[in-house]
């Protein structure tokens, strides 16, 4: 699902409907919504001096249609994480071309040669506050005159987690990127690389939206989804498994 947030047809329809209903606020609405659903294109546009980023721009931008990439999440820096200023996709980035990971002393030169990014160890890549940058969303609301009067918490799974018992037990990554306790090579390049890493982390990143997974699967060609049907089946199964194992409830009489 991380590859397809900008291809989500329900999201596209909702953003379009909101802009049609509030044409004077189209820029506000669509810039806000593309911040999480098309973060690479929007971030690149703002880096180049843009002050807004519309849905029509995102749909024509290959960066946006690639969804949420490896290099987006792994470039997010630790400064200010979990502060209100980094919520709603205000993730801290800069021009350093540093990529953060969970392993000490990474072999850097091959990645530098291939991508221009330098891999570096940082503990914050395993911190739930990293996920909070997009998964804490405050959305503008309007007064009776149609003016923006403030923001309200539209989606707050990070804040809900932070105020739950899970904060002492599991991070976001523990469930959505489960660890595999097995030593293995994490790259086939360069061929002389012999260092084993343990644990490794499965990038399942499965949420709970199995319904949208089905829509994407059934409309692969129309929505230009690059995954095959069997890939979507796997994602749907992981989403359902996440929902089934997320919480335990009990009846108290």
């Amino acid at each position: 699902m991380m590859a397809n947030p900008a291809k989500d047809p329900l999201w596209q329809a909702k953003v379009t409907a909101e802009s049609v209903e509030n044409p004077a606020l189209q820029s506000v609405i669509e810039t806000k919504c593309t911040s999480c659903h098309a973060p690479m294109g929007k971030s690149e546009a703002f880096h180049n001096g843009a002050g807004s980023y519309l849905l029509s721009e995102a749909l024509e931008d290959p960066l946006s249609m690639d969804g949420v990439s490896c290099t987006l999440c792994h470039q997010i820096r630790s400064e200010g994480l979990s502060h209100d200023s980094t919520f709603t996709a205000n993730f801290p980035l800069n021009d350093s071309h540093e990529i953060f990971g969970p392993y000490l002393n990474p072999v850097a030169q091959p990645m530098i040669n291939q991508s221009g990014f330098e891999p570096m160890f940082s503990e914050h890549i395993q911190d739930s506050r990293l996920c909070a940058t997009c998964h804490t969303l405050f959305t503008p609301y309007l007064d009776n005159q149609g003016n923006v009067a403030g923001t309200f918490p539209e989606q707050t799974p990070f804040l809900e987690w932070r105020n739950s018992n899970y904060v002492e037990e599991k991070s976001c990554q523990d469930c959505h990127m489960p660890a595999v306790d097995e030593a293995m090579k994490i790259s086939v390049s360069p061929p002389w690389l012999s260092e084993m890493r343990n644990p490794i982390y499965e990038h399942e990143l499965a949420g709970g939206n199995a319904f949208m997974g089905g829509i994407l699967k059934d409309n692969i060609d129309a929505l230009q989804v690059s995954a095959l049907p069997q890939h979507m089946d796997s994602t749907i199964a992981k989403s359902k498994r996440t929902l089934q194992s997320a919480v335990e409830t009990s009846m108290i009489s």
Side-chain angles (χ1 to χ4, degrees), residues 25 28 40 69 95 98 125 150 171 180 188 229:
L25 295 172
V28 174
M40 293 193 292
S69 75
D95 294 331
E98 294 171 338
I125 201 70
S171 68
V180 177
V188 296

Side-chain angles (χ1 to χ4, degrees), residues 103-107 121 195 197:
Y103 302 118
L104 292 168
N105 304 315
V107 179
F121 166 76
E195 186 168 5
R197 299 293 191 180

Side-chain angles (χ1 to χ4, degrees), residues 139-167:
T139 303
Y141 63 86
L142 308 181
D143 60 21
N144 291 335
Q145 287 71 47
N147 300 312
V148 175
T151 61
F152 75 98
E154 181 182 324
Q155 298 176 33
T156 57
F158 169 75
L159 298 180
E160 293 163 14
W161 167 84
R162 193 170 68 182
N163 288 280
S164 73
N165 291 337
Y166 285 104
V167 73

